[in-house]
Amino acid sequence: MFTCIYKNIRNIHYEDLTDLRNNKGVFVGETSYSDNIFNTPEYRLNNGVYLFKSRDRDDVALRIYKDFADYLFVSYGEDARLVSKLQDKQKMIKLTTFPTGIITIGKSVIGQEIPYYEGGKTLAYLFRNKQMGSKIATSYYIDMLKILKELVQNGIIYADCHANNFIYHEDIVKLIDFEEHFISIDKDKGKEQDMLRNLKTCLIGLSRLIDIEIEGISKTNTLDEMLELVQEKHYKLERNVLNK
């Protein structure tokens, strides 16, 4: 049996695949949008994740990697360490709730226990379907940038900035995806540049969906510069709404 050696995190342990099948909770969604988990005898699964609302708690979900069988658990071997490091920072972080545990079979990590935001919609969905409600579009960007800035200030570089990794839930944007490959706990200029590059692509892509433009966003070199431009655009849009 796997014994979690890291502090601050829960170990949700399953003895084998049958135990996992019988106890995984309520299916919520997955990256390929078809509920076929472990239905094949060979367990040959595609890349991605399955999300299950926990049987025990309404506020967490089990994020189980579909590809763990094919990869023999190797790809995500550092997840326990990652979640533990993030949890060490949680008391200093206000805008992001980190994973609260890991999921294991045998001696191997196969997923994470993460916050479950029932009814939340990804920013990609909201912008693609023009469902921003009465909120000004740039307010979503400001929320995203504040999340990333707080993380950077606490030594965490989150590089995987795209519109499916942020959801809107209970009037605020929240970060939902945590993987070793895309998070650097230490200050890393390379990762920081990845973050900025991906973030620019994300904001420009979302803006095109709703036909607005944030002038100069592609030339910014820091989060602070980006936030300043976005806030300036936000105030202009806000004034236009008030003047109507």
Side-chain angles (χ1 to χ4, degrees):
M1 177 171 174
F2 183 91
T3 301
C4 184
I5 62 172
Y6 304 109
K7 58 184 179 181
N8 302 324
I9 55 176
R10 297 203 313 140
N11 177 18
I12 302 166
H13 183 75
Y14 298 102
E15 292 299 325
D16 51 32
L17 288 173
T18 299
D19 188 24
L20 171 61
R21 275 205 220 61
N22 293 337
N23 295 284
K24 61 184 179 295
V26 180
F27 177 76
V28 178
E30 59 163 310
T31 53
S32 67
Y33 307 107
S34 60
D35 186 9
N36 61 351
I37 188 167
F38 309 134
N39 285 341
T40 60
E42 302 83 10
Y43 306 113
R44 295 193 176 278
L45 310 170
N46 298 320
N47 289 345
V49 298
Y50 288 99
L51 197 64
F52 297 91
K53 184 176 179 181
S54 172
R55 292 178 57 169
D56 307 316
R57 292 173 51 186
D58 289 337
D59 61 338
V60 296
L62 308 183
R63 185 175 184 268
I64 298 172
Y65 309 126
K66 284 196 298 190
D67 54 359
F68 76 82
D70 287 338
Y71 282 86
L72 301 177
F73 312 100
V74 173
S75 296
Y76 301 98
E78 288 300 307
D79 268 22
R81 191 185 307 274
L82 169 68
V83 174
S84 178
K85 285 182 176 181
L86 291 175
Q87 281 297 323
D88 279 339
K89 300 276 190 176
Q90 186 69 77
K91 59 183 176 294
M92 298 177 284
I93 307 292
K94 306 301 181 187
L95 301 177
T96 304
T97 303
F98 297 132
T100 53
I102 55 168
I103 305 164
T104 60
I105 286 183
K107 296 182 178 180
S108 304
V109 175
I110 63 164
Q112 298 174 356
E113 178 188 61
I114 62 170
Y116 176 52
Y117 302 118
E118 188 163 13
K121 300 291 186 184
T122 67
L123 295 194
Y125 177 90
L126 293 182
F127 277 67
R128 190 169 56 244
N129 292 284
K130 312 255 186 325
Q131 292 187 8
M132 286 87 70
S134 60
K135 281 177 69 73
I136 298 172
T138 42
S139 64
Y140 294 96
Y141 303 167
I142 291 170
D143 283 350
M144 291 172 64
L145 288 163
K146 285 182 177 178
I147 286 170
L148 296 170
K149 184 175 178 179
E150 183 186 49
L151 293 178
V152 169
Q153 288 171 338
N154 285 279
I156 300 170
I157 308 299
Y158 184 82
D160 198 19
C161 300
H162 63 76
N164 282 313
N165 280 350
F166 294 86
I167 70 165
Y168 185 63
H169 176 259
E170 294 183 349
D171 298 325
I172 195 167
V173 173
K174 296 178 180 179
L175 180 62
I176 59 172
D177 192 18
F178 304 89
E179 289 186 27
E180 183 74 26
H181 180 62
F182 293 110
I183 296 177
S184 175
I185 301 297
D186 303 311
K187 194 75 170 175
D188 184 324
K189 279 293 180 186
K191 285 281 189 182
E192 197 163 2
Q193 290 306 309
D194 288 344
M195 175 187 67
L196 291 170
R197 182 173 57 252
N198 292 337
L199 185 55
K200 290 175 190 178
T201 301
C202 175
L203 297 185
I204 291 169
L206 288 175
S207 295
R208 285 174 179 163
L209 289 173
I210 56 172
D211 199 26
I212 69 169
E213 182 180 357
I214 304 175
E215 298 81 2
I217 195 78
S218 62
K219 297 180 180 179
T220 53
N221 295 309
T222 66
L223 278 177
D224 284 332
E225 289 178 10
M226 205 175 295
L227 184 56
E228 185 177 347
L229 275 182
V230 169
Q231 287 176 328
E232 182 180 333
K233 183 68 174 184
H234 180 73
Y235 296 145
K236 289 179 181 177
L237 294 174
E238 203 170 36
R239 285 198 299 271
N240 289 341
V241 170
L242 292 173
N243 291 333
K244 284 184 179 178

